[in-house]
Amino acid sequence: MRSFEYITPASLDAALEVSTRNAPHVKLLAGGTDLLVELKHTANGPKVLVDLGRVPELKGIEETSAGLRIGAMVTHTEIMESRLIAQHAPAMIAAAVTIGAVQTRNMGTIGGNLVTCVPSLDSGPVLVALDALVTVAGAKGKRQMPITEFFVGPRKTALSPDEILVDILIPAVMLGRPASFRKFGLRKGQALALVNAAASVAVEDGRIADTRIALGAVSPTVIRALQAEAIVTGKNVGDTAALREAAEMAVTEARPIDDFRASAAYRRELIAVGTFRVLEEALAGATAG
Ligand SMILES: Cc1cc2nc3c(=O)[nH]c(=O)nc-3n(C[C@H](O)[C@H](O)[C@H](O)COP(=O)(O)OP(=O)(O)OC[C@H]3O[C@@H](n4cnc5c(N)ncnc54)[C@H](O)[C@@H]3O)c2cc1C
C-alpha cells in the first residue's frame, strides 16, 4: 500500500472541496471494510484519503414528511438497532444482519455498500423493493434518483467522480409496507450471497394491489423481476399458484453465472425458491396487518 495524506473534513462542503481539489488522486473513506482491503492490494493507490466520518450531513436516521432518511454513513449495526427502521422498514434489518460479521457491520456503512456496488450487495434488494431514492452531492449541487438508476453495473454506480452519496430515502408512501428479504450463501455467517431476494407488497381488499420483486447476485447488478411482479399483481392474496408462477418467471428474468461458488443452474433453483419465499413472507406480513 502506498502512503497517503489523510484528511477528516467536518462538513459536506469541506469534503466536496477537498475531493475536487485533489481529484483524481483522491478516495473517499467510510468504514473502510471494502476500501482498505482494496488499497492493500493496489500499488498505485490514492494520494489523499478523505475520511467521511466527521461529516454530519451523512449521518443519522430520521423520519421526515418525505419519508425515512438514512445517512450514507449509517453503519449496518445502526440499521439493526434503529427503532425507526424496525417500525417502518424492518426488511432492511433482515438484510443488515446477514452482512459479514459483527466487526464488519460495526464499521461498514450502507453508503459504502451501495457505492461498492458488487452484484451480491445485501443492502440493494430491499431498497429496490421499497422504491428507495438516493441523494448525491457534487460541485454543482445535489441530485436525487431512484436507486435502480444508481446501480449501473458491477462496481459501477451513477456517481460522478466528484460526487458523494449523501443519503437514502424510503418514500413516505412505502413506510410500513410489508416486505421480506432472503439471502442464500454457502454458510449461515460471513458468506457473500449466491442469490439474495426481496419483495414488497401492497394489499387492498384481499387482492395484491402492487408488488416489487428485487434480485441480487444473479445479474450484473440488482434487478427487478418485472414480469414476475406482473403475474402476482391483481391476484388474490391466497393464490399460491400465482406465487409459484411468478417464482418461475423470475428465473427467466435473471442472468446468473457459473463461478467458483455456485453453478448457474443452482442459482436458478435459488432464485425460484427465494422469490417464492419473499413473496409468501411479505404477503403474510400484509395479511397479519
Ligand atoms: C469480511 C467481510 C465480509 C463482508 N461481508 C459482506 C456481506 O455479507 N454482504 C455485503 O453486502 N458486503 C459484505 N462485505 C463488504 C463491505 O463490508 C460492505 O460493502 C460495506 O457496507 C462497505 O461499507 P464501508 O463503509 O466499509 O465502505 P468503504 O470500504 O469505506 O468504501 C467502499 C467504497 O465506497 C466509496 N464510498 C463510501 N462511502 C461513500 C459515499 N458516501 N459517497 C461516495 N463514495 C463512498 C469509497 O470511496 C469506496 O470506493 C464484507 C466485507 C468484509 C471485509
Side-chain angles (χ1 to χ4, degrees):
M1 188 181 350
R2 105 168 172 194
S3 61
F4 49 77
E5 190 183 351
Y6 175 75
I7 301 179
T8 56
S11 72
L12 182 58
D13 282 347
L16 287 167
E17 192 277 324
V18 76
S19 31
T20 309
R21 183 159 37 89
N22 290 286
H25 307 290
V26 64
K27 262 297 198 183
L28 301 171
L29 174 71
T33 60
D34 276 324
L35 184 62
L36 294 183
V37 177
E38 182 189 319
L39 293 188
K40 280 181 191 164
H41 297 99
T42 311
N44 211 8
K47 291 183 182 159
V48 176
L49 214 53
V50 179
D51 187 339
L52 299 174
R54 288 179 59 223
V55 177
E57 293 94 329
L58 307 183
K59 295 188 179 178
I61 302 169
E62 60 196 335
E63 194 177 352
T64 71
S65 57
L68 192 64
R69 179 204 159 272
I70 302 149
M73 284 296 288
V74 166
T75 64
H76 304 300
T77 299
E78 287 177 293
I79 288 171
M80 286 161 55
E81 293 175 350
S82 164
R83 188 185 50 77
L84 284 172
I85 292 189
Q87 182 185 348
H88 294 302
M92 286 186 68
I93 297 177
V97 298
T98 73
I99 294 177
V102 175
Q103 294 87 341
T104 322
R105 296 192 288 269
N106 284 347
M107 295 300 293
T109 62
I110 187 164
N113 196 239
L114 300 181
V115 175
T116 301
C117 201
V118 292
S120 62
L121 86 168
D122 287 312
S123 303
V126 172
L127 295 178
V128 170
L130 293 177
D131 205 11
L133 301 167
V134 298
T135 306
V136 305
K140 293 183 198 142
K142 285 187 181 172
R143 60 192 180 111
Q144 197 174 46
M145 70 191 88
I147 192 149
T148 45
E149 289 175 21
F150 184 74
F151 297 139
V152 173
R155 296 186 176 273
K156 188 157 174 45
T157 70
L159 269 183
S160 303
D162 66 341
E163 285 180 319
I164 294 176
L165 174 62
V166 177
D167 58 32
I168 298 107
L169 182 81
I170 313 287
V173 68
M174 300 301 278
L175 297 186
R177 180 160 155 159
S180 174
F181 171 83
R182 283 275 179 159
K183 169 175 173 176
F184 299 94
L186 291 176
R187 325 175 271 277
K188 282 197 172 165
Q190 285 271 47
L192 295 184
L194 301 176
V195 169
N196 53 24
S200 75
V201 294
V203 171
E204 284 169 18
D205 300 328
R207 282 186 184 271
I208 303 167
D210 190 33
T211 320
R212 289 177 71 95
I213 302 168
L215 299 168
V218 299
S219 269
T221 190
V222 181
I223 58 160
R224 267 179 81 187
L226 293 166
Q227 295 178 67
E229 291 175 6
I231 289 172
V232 172
T233 304
K235 297 289 191 316
N236 287 328
V237 167
D239 191 344
T240 309
L243 305 196
R244 294 209 186 284
E245 196 187 332
E248 292 307 321
M249 180 59 80
V251 175
T252 69
E253 296 184 75
R255 286 186 282 149
I257 56 164
D258 286 303
D259 69 10
F260 65 97
R261 284 186 289 130
S263 66
Y266 183 53
R267 285 192 163 99
R268 281 193 283 274
E269 299 265 339
L270 295 179
I271 294 165
V273 172
T275 304
F276 182 84
R277 284 191 192 162
V278 291
L279 283 170
E280 191 179 47
E281 287 164 4
L283 284 168
T287 46

